[in-house]
Amino acid sequence: MLRTFPEHQIRRNQLLDGPWDFMKDPLNMGVQEKWFERFPHSPLSLYVPSCWNNELGMYEYEGVGWYRKKIRIENPQHVRLIFHAVMGHAEVYLDGQHLGYHYGGFTPFEFIVPSLAAGEHEIVVRTDSTLDRLTIPTEQVDWFHYGGIIRSVELQYLPDLYIERVKIDYELQGADADVSVQVQIRSFLQSVQTTRLALSEGGHELHSEEVQIEAGQTFSHTFKKLLPEVRLWNVGSPELYTFRVRTAEDDKFERIGFRRIETKDHRILINGSPIYLKGVNRHEEHPEWGFAFPPKLMHKELDIILELGCNSVRGSHYPQSPYWLDLLDEHGMVYWSEIPIWGAFLPNETVSEPLFQERALTMIEEMIGLHIHHPSVIFWSVHNEIDTRTQEAFAFTQALIGLVKKLDTSRLVTYATMHPLEDILLPLFDVIGINKYFGWYEGDVSGFKDMLEQFHKRAEQLGAGNKVVLMTEFGGAGLFGDVGWEPRLFSEDYQAHIVTEALAIFKNDPKIGGTFIWQFADIRGDLKSSSKNFRDRARGFNNKGLVNEYRKPKQSFREVRRIYRSWTE
Ligand code: ADA
C-alpha cells in the first residue's frame, strides 16, 4: 500500500511486490545485465520490498545485489516503472536494455517505456549499498547500512495521453484560497489530439475545458481557482482537500491542506496560532524489516506517538514513506523532512566535493518533489551535524537553501547543529535546530542552561536572535529492562532522568519553541569495523529510544507522556 487514499481511479497499476530472484555479487563481477545468465539456477527468492540484511546469512552484507522479476504484458502498452526507493546505486535493465541509473535511497525514480510489446519481460536491477566518503550518508553514519529495494516497485499502464505531473500551490487571502493547479500531459501519439481536461475537488467539478495536445509533446496547463472560505488544516484538527485532474483516459488525485506557516516571538505559528512543538525523532526502521517499514506498523507507531502526547515528528534522517506522511496529515501532526546528510564525523573537505554536492542537491529536489503536497510538512531540513563552523559549510549550505527556496517558499528552512556556540550558519536559516547531549556525551544535564544562555547571546550578536530555536536532539541510552533503585548509567532510570531534566530546562526557556527527543525507538546501529565511534552501542543498537526496537515502553516513555500531556501551550 503506497498511500492511504487512491491516487488513480482510471489509470491501471500493478505493484510488483512479492518474490524477486536475488543474487549477491560480493566481488562486484557483474559488469553487465547478463549476470543472472551466468548463474541461472542459484538465485535466492527475496521479498520486495525488504532489506536483504534481514535474511538469514546476510546480516552484515554491504555491496552489490542483483534483483530480477519477470512480468507479463497482455497487450502492447505504454508503461511507467516506478521504484519507490532503492538503497544506494541502482542500475535498471528491461529485457537486457539499460533503462537508467539512480543514486539515493529514500526517494522514487521512474522510467517510461512507450509501446512495450505484449508477452513476457524481464526487469533486472543492480543495486549497490556500499557507503564511502562521497555517498550520502557517508560510511561514517550512526544507523545500520541496510541494502535492497526498500519500498514498492510499481508498474503503471499509461494511455496515449497521460498525466505526467500535477502540482498544487495556493495562497490564503483572508478566508479564501487562491489555488493554482499545474498539470502536465504528455502525448505518445503521432498526431495532434484534443481531450477534455477537468479539475474537481471532493467529487465536485471546479472547471473543465477542451485542450489540444501536439503530437509527441508535453502540454502544460494551469487551473486557477478561488476557493471561498476554506477549512484550514490545523495541528490536532486537520482538514484535507482532495483534488482530481482527469482526462478522458487518465486521472490523478492529489491531497493537500490549507494552512499558513509563520514564525513570531520564537514560536512557529500555524494559521496565526503559536504551536509549541512536542516531538520525537523517528527513524523509519525496525529490526525485522529494516527500512522497509510495513504500513500496518505505521498505524501503531502513530498511535504510540499520539499516546505520548506529541504533536510533531522529526523524520530523522531521510525522507520517510508517503504513507507515513499521509497518516500525519490525517492526524494534524507536524513533520520535519530532511535529507540523509549525517555529519557528526564528516570531514570538512567532503562538503566541497562536487559529487557530494551534486548528490545533496538532487536529494533536496527529490525530497521536495515527494513531500510537497503534505500539509504536515512544515520544515525542510538540509543537513544534520555537519561542521557548521567553517566557510566550506557556509558556501555549501547557501547552495542547498537556494535550491529549497527556488522549489518551495511556503515552508521553513532548517538544519540541526551540534556546534551551537561556534556555528556561523545561524543567520542563514528560518529555524535553528540544536543537537546536544548533556548528561550523556558531555557533562551533567544541567549544562544545557549555561549552553543555552551563551547560545542566545551569540545568536543575538550574529543577528539571529529572533529566530525560532528548537531542541532537535537530546537524550541518552537506557537498556530496556535495566531498572533499579538508582539511576545508573545505561539504565532506564538514568535515561528518564536526563530526558525529564532536559525537558524542564527547555520549557523554562522562552526562546525555545519545541523539543524533539532523541529518539522514539531504539534502532540498529552501524556494526562495521569503521564504527569505532559507536562503541557505546550495546547490543549493536542505538539505545536512546523511549521505546525499545519492538516499541515496548521504557521508563522514559512514561515520564515524557506525563510531561508532554501536561504542556498545554
Ligand atoms: C547525533 C545524531 C543522531 C544519533 C545521536 C546519538 O546527534 O544526529 O543520529 O547518532 O547523535 O545517539 O549519538
Side-chain angles (χ1 to χ4, degrees), residues 48-49 84-85 106-107 149-153 284 291 319-322 370:
V48 167
H84 285 279
F106 303 94
T107 43
I149 301 181
I150 63 158
R151 293 186 193 152
S152 293
V153 182
E284 192 158 282
F291 290 142
Q320 303 192 348
S321 298
L370 181 66

Side-chain angles (χ1 to χ4, degrees), residues 481-526:
D482 183 6
V483 288
W485 298 109
E486 62 284 310
R488 281 169 291 103
L489 206 59
F490 279 106
S491 66
E492 287 193 22
D493 313 71
Y494 184 65
Q495 181 196 24
H497 162 74
I498 305 178
V499 172
T500 49
E501 294 288 307
L503 286 175
I505 294 171
F506 305 148
K507 195 64 187 354
N508 270 330
D509 182 334
K511 293 189 172 166
I512 300 293
T515 56
F516 290 85
I517 297 160
W518 186 266
Q519 57 184 342
F520 171 60
D522 291 349
I523 56 159
R524 279 198 199 287
D526 164 21

Side-chain angles (χ1 to χ4, degrees), residues 142 317 342 384-385 435 437 441 473 518 537 542 544:
D142 188 16
H317 289 292
W342 190 93
N384 178 69
E385 297 192 344
N435 293 0
Y437 285 86
Y441 295 125
E473 286 188 32
W518 186 266
R537 303 299 196 252
N542 183 323
K544 300 189 189 74

